[in-house]
Amino acid sequence: MTPATGDKGQGDELMSDATKRFPLMATRLMPEAVEARFRDEFDARPNEEDTPLDRKLLIERAEGCHGIVGSPTERFDAETIALLPESVEILATFSVGCDHIDLEAAKARGLVVCNTPDVLTDATADTTILCLLGAARMAQSAEAVLRRGEWGRWSPRGMLGTDMTGKRLGIVGMGRIGQGVARRAQGFGMEVMYHNRRERPPEEAEGATFHADAAEMLPQCDFLALTCPLTDETHHWLNAERIALLPDGAVVANTARGPVVDDDALIPALESGRVAAAGLDVFTGEPKLDERYLKLENAFLLPHIGSATIETRNAMGFRCLDNMKAHAEGTDYPSRVA
Ligand code: DGY
C-alpha cells in the first residue's frame, strides 16, 4: 500500500528554528510521512532498529533530549520517570491510552505529557464493530476452514452465527470511541445502551440509553462492547460476576485494553458457550496472550490494530509532533494530559 502523506498536522507550514534546535527522540519508527516530518523539522533522534526499549536503553537514549515520542510498548512508570535525564521536558505518547504512563509521577516531576485523542476515534470504532461482527459471524474460524481446504458443500446448517440487526448493544465507556461505536451500531439497527461514570449530554449520547448501574444494563446486553480506558476501577471489569449477568449467548468485544477483561472468567464462559463469542483486539501481557484463546473457535482475535490505518497512524504521529512543536515554541498544546 502506498503511504498516504495526507494532512501533515498543524506544523505543516514552516520549520521553525525552535523545533530545529529541539533534540527529540522517538522510541519507535513511525509511519513514513511522520518520520519524514520528524527528521525534517526537529533535531531528530530516531530509533532506526525499531526495537522496543527497556528502561535502561530508554534512559541512555534520552540523554540530552528535550522530548520523547513514546508509545504503549514502553512503560513510563514512576521509577522510569524519576530516572529520566533532567533534559527531558515532555513526553508525547503515540496513543490515546495513557495507562503505560504514571501521570501522577509525571506531574510531580514537571514532565509534560501529551496524547493523541480524536484522530483515532473512527478507526478504533470501526475495529470495535469489526470485533462484534467478526465474533458474531465467527468470521475467523469460517475463514480458517476455507484456508485449510475443508470447505465442504454449502449447508443450511453450516457456520451459523448470530445477527446484530435488532439486537441490544451495551457500551462500557462512552468516550469518543464509545460514541463512535454507538453511531455505527445504530446503522446496524441495534438498540444501544451505555454505562459510563457520568451521563453524557444528549448531543454526546448518540441516542443511547444511560445506565448508571452496570448490573442493570448487563442482563439486557445481547452484545457488549468494552471501550473504556484502563484504570484501577476498570481493571478486570468484565469478571465472572458481571459475565453471569449477561444473557445466555451474548457476544463481547474488547478494543479497550486487555486487562479490562479477566481472562480466567471469559475463557471458561467461551468454552461453555455461556458467552457465544468474543472479538478481542487487546490482551493482557501483549504481545503474548493467554494461549487458551487460540484454541477457541468462537474467539475472533486481532493483534491490537484498533488504530492501524495509514491515515490514522499518520494523524497520530503528526499530533505527537504538533504537541512537541507547541512545547518548543511555547504555544498551546493540541492535547495535553499532564
Ligand atoms: C491507543 O491509542 O491507545 C491505541 O490503543 C494504540 O495503543
Side-chain angles (χ1 to χ4, degrees), residues 72 95-97 120 257 304 307 316:
S95 62
V96 67
L120 45 61
R257 284 292 185 263
H304 200 150
S307 62
M316 291 168 75

PDB file of all heavy atoms in Angstrom, residues 72 95-97 120 257 304 307 316, ligand 1:
ATOM      1  N   PRO A  72       2.898   2.826  23.604  1.00  0.00           N
ATOM      2  CA  PRO A  72       2.494   1.857  24.634  1.00  0.00           C
ATOM      3  C   PRO A  72       3.452   0.667  24.760  1.00  0.00           C
ATOM      4  O   PRO A  72       3.259  -0.174  25.625  1.00  0.00           O
ATOM      5  CB  PRO A  72       1.107   1.386  24.160  1.00  0.00           C
ATOM      6  CG  PRO A  72       0.632   2.458  23.251  1.00  0.00           C
ATOM      7  CD  PRO A  72       1.856   3.005  22.587  1.00  0.00           C
ATOM      8  N   SER A  95      -0.361   7.406  21.232  1.00  0.00           N
ATOM      9  CA  SER A  95      -1.561   6.650  21.620  1.00  0.00           C
ATOM     10  C   SER A  95      -2.516   7.604  22.303  1.00  0.00           C
ATOM     11  O   SER A  95      -2.094   8.640  22.833  1.00  0.00           O
ATOM     12  CB  SER A  95      -1.203   5.516  22.593  1.00  0.00           C
ATOM     13  OG  SER A  95      -0.660   6.037  23.783  1.00  0.00           O
ATOM     14  N   VAL A  96      -3.779   7.214  22.325  1.00  0.00           N
ATOM     15  CA  VAL A  96      -4.708   7.979  23.171  1.00  0.00           C
ATOM     16  C   VAL A  96      -4.615   7.440  24.596  1.00  0.00           C
ATOM     17  O   VAL A  96      -4.672   8.185  25.553  1.00  0.00           O
ATOM     18  CB  VAL A  96      -6.152   7.935  22.611  1.00  0.00           C
ATOM     19  CG1 VAL A  96      -6.759   6.548  22.669  1.00  0.00           C
ATOM     20  CG2 VAL A  96      -7.034   8.918  23.344  1.00  0.00           C
ATOM     21  N   GLY A  97      -4.432   6.103  24.738  1.00  0.00           N
ATOM     22  CA  GLY A  97      -4.352   5.478  26.053  1.00  0.00           C
ATOM     23  C   GLY A  97      -3.079   5.899  26.765  1.00  0.00           C
ATOM     24  O   GLY A  97      -2.010   5.995  26.150  1.00  0.00           O
ATOM     25  N   LEU A 120      -8.020   9.058  16.298  1.00  0.00           N
ATOM     26  CA  LEU A 120      -8.164   7.607  16.092  1.00  0.00           C
ATOM     27  C   LEU A 120      -9.560   7.098  16.420  1.00  0.00           C
ATOM     28  O   LEU A 120      -9.820   5.892  16.403  1.00  0.00           O
ATOM     29  CB  LEU A 120      -7.113   6.825  16.891  1.00  0.00           C
ATOM     30  CG  LEU A 120      -6.847   7.195  18.330  1.00  0.00           C
ATOM     31  CD1 LEU A 120      -8.044   7.039  19.199  1.00  0.00           C
ATOM     32  CD2 LEU A 120      -5.688   6.392  18.871  1.00  0.00           C
ATOM     33  N   ARG A 257      -8.393  -2.158  26.586  1.00  0.00           N
ATOM     34  CA  ARG A 257      -7.089  -2.709  26.953  1.00  0.00           C
ATOM     35  C   ARG A 257      -7.348  -4.109  27.493  1.00  0.00           C
ATOM     36  O   ARG A 257      -8.383  -4.357  28.135  1.00  0.00           O
ATOM     37  CB  ARG A 257      -6.409  -1.864  28.039  1.00  0.00           C
ATOM     38  CG  ARG A 257      -5.807  -0.550  27.565  1.00  0.00           C
ATOM     39  CD  ARG A 257      -4.599  -0.766  26.658  1.00  0.00           C
ATOM     40  NE  ARG A 257      -3.935   0.460  26.271  1.00  0.00           N
ATOM     41  CZ  ARG A 257      -4.145   1.103  25.121  1.00  0.00           C
ATOM     42  NH1 ARG A 257      -5.007   0.636  24.242  1.00  0.00           N
ATOM     43  NH2 ARG A 257      -3.462   2.204  24.835  1.00  0.00           N
ATOM     44  N   HIS A 304      -4.105  -6.031  18.299  1.00  0.00           N
ATOM     45  CA  HIS A 304      -4.124  -4.597  18.672  1.00  0.00           C
ATOM     46  C   HIS A 304      -3.974  -3.689  17.438  1.00  0.00           C
ATOM     47  O   HIS A 304      -3.032  -2.900  17.339  1.00  0.00           O
ATOM     48  CB  HIS A 304      -3.008  -4.289  19.699  1.00  0.00           C
ATOM     49  CG  HIS A 304      -3.261  -3.011  20.465  1.00  0.00           C
ATOM     50  ND1 HIS A 304      -2.834  -2.813  21.756  1.00  0.00           N
ATOM     51  CD2 HIS A 304      -3.894  -1.865  20.116  1.00  0.00           C
ATOM     52  CE1 HIS A 304      -3.182  -1.607  22.165  1.00  0.00           C
ATOM     53  NE2 HIS A 304      -3.837  -1.003  21.179  1.00  0.00           N
ATOM     54  N   SER A 307      -6.231   1.176  15.831  1.00  0.00           N
ATOM     55  CA  SER A 307      -5.977   2.454  15.148  1.00  0.00           C
ATOM     56  C   SER A 307      -5.096   2.272  13.915  1.00  0.00           C
ATOM     57  O   SER A 307      -4.584   3.251  13.363  1.00  0.00           O
ATOM     58  CB  SER A 307      -5.296   3.423  16.125  1.00  0.00           C
ATOM     59  OG  SER A 307      -4.041   2.896  16.547  1.00  0.00           O
ATOM     60  N   MET A 316      -1.962  10.392  14.104  1.00  0.00           N
ATOM     61  CA  MET A 316      -1.468  10.242  15.485  1.00  0.00           C
ATOM     62  C   MET A 316      -0.030  10.758  15.593  1.00  0.00           C
ATOM     63  O   MET A 316       0.328  11.478  16.522  1.00  0.00           O
ATOM     64  CB  MET A 316      -1.529   8.763  15.910  1.00  0.00           C
ATOM     65  CG  MET A 316      -2.937   8.245  16.084  1.00  0.00           C
ATOM     66  SD  MET A 316      -2.999   6.434  16.228  1.00  0.00           S
ATOM     67  CE  MET A 316      -2.409   6.199  17.908  1.00  0.00           C
TER      68      MET A 316
HETATM   69  C1  DGY B   1      -4.209   3.880  21.680  1.00  0.00           C
HETATM   70  O1  DGY B   1      -4.015   4.911  21.031  1.00  0.00           O
HETATM   71  O2  DGY B   1      -4.349   3.884  22.896  1.00  0.00           O
HETATM   72  C2  DGY B   1      -4.228   2.622  20.897  1.00  0.00           C
HETATM   73  O3  DGY B   1      -4.772   1.571  21.601  1.00  0.00           O
HETATM   74  C3  DGY B   1      -2.836   2.289  20.489  1.00  0.00           C
HETATM   75  O4  DGY B   1      -2.174   1.840  21.610  1.00  0.00           O
END
